[in-house]
Amino acid sequence: MSRIGRVERATKETSVLVEVDLDGTGRVEVSTGVGFFDHMLNQLGKHGLFDLTVKTEGDLHIDSHHTMEDTALALGGAFREALGDKSGITRFGSASCPLDEALAQVTVDLSGRPYLVHSEPSGMAPLIGPSYDTTMTRHILESFVAQAAICLHVHVPYGRNAHHIVEAQFKALARALRAACEPDPRASGVPSTKGVL
């Protein structure tokens, strides 16, 4: 059974297409017009071994906010669709990823209930490249969590370089999601005493 999700989202601000295959090989085709965000989505696909297609056209003449927000919403929806009824999945996953001086710790529960806990070092540079607002990382994750309906904890206890701090989060998220989405060979049915996630 294929585990593929596809979401198309169009507003007056953006046009977004996202497709994800949870059982892929890390093949990524991404274009949002925001270079560093593209780089982060590449990390998500590559390290999660998700085949990921993202095509976004947004109102970048204003700023990158709507483009990244709407892409994250569509990405979360595509993940939720790809997971189906979640029968036989591991459900929980965690990963720690260092990037030079920065460390990111991520834990995920594919619970069906959206909840985000996020912390990162204060005093980060406001921009990475010309258009990635570093205050958007939390909002990107909030948007993804809201549509994926997952519980996500992201903690960066230390780090100095903004690029490293954000990239470590996406790499750790990819690895945690990969672990949580993996089939559990010993499990049958939905991994919940409720019988549904």
Side-chain angles (χ1 to χ4, degrees), residues 35-97:
F36 184 76
F37 188 44
D38 287 357
H39 182 46
M40 294 303 95
L41 293 173
N42 269 279
Q43 303 304 316
L44 187 66
K46 180 67 173 179
H47 295 285
L49 291 182
F50 307 125
D51 288 347
L52 179 62
T53 299
V54 177
K55 297 178 182 177
T56 302
E57 294 181 3
D59 54 358
L60 294 175
H61 61 286
I62 296 175
D63 67 10
S64 61
H65 184 112
H66 299 142
T67 295
M68 295 193 289
E69 176 183 54
D70 288 2
T71 300
L73 289 166
L75 182 63
F79 261 86
R80 185 172 187 176
E81 181 181 305
L83 282 165
D85 69 0
K86 304 177 186 172
S87 290
I89 63 167
T90 301
R91 177 177 168 177
F92 301 97
S94 62
S96 294
C97 289

Side-chain angles (χ1 to χ4, degrees), residues 21 27 30 46 48 66 77 81 94-96 99 135 138 155 184:
D21 182 348
R27 180 189 55 79
V30 170
K46 180 67 173 179
H66 299 142
E81 181 181 305
S94 62
S96 294
L99 183 51
T135 66
R138 179 179 303 193
H155 179 48
D184 183 342

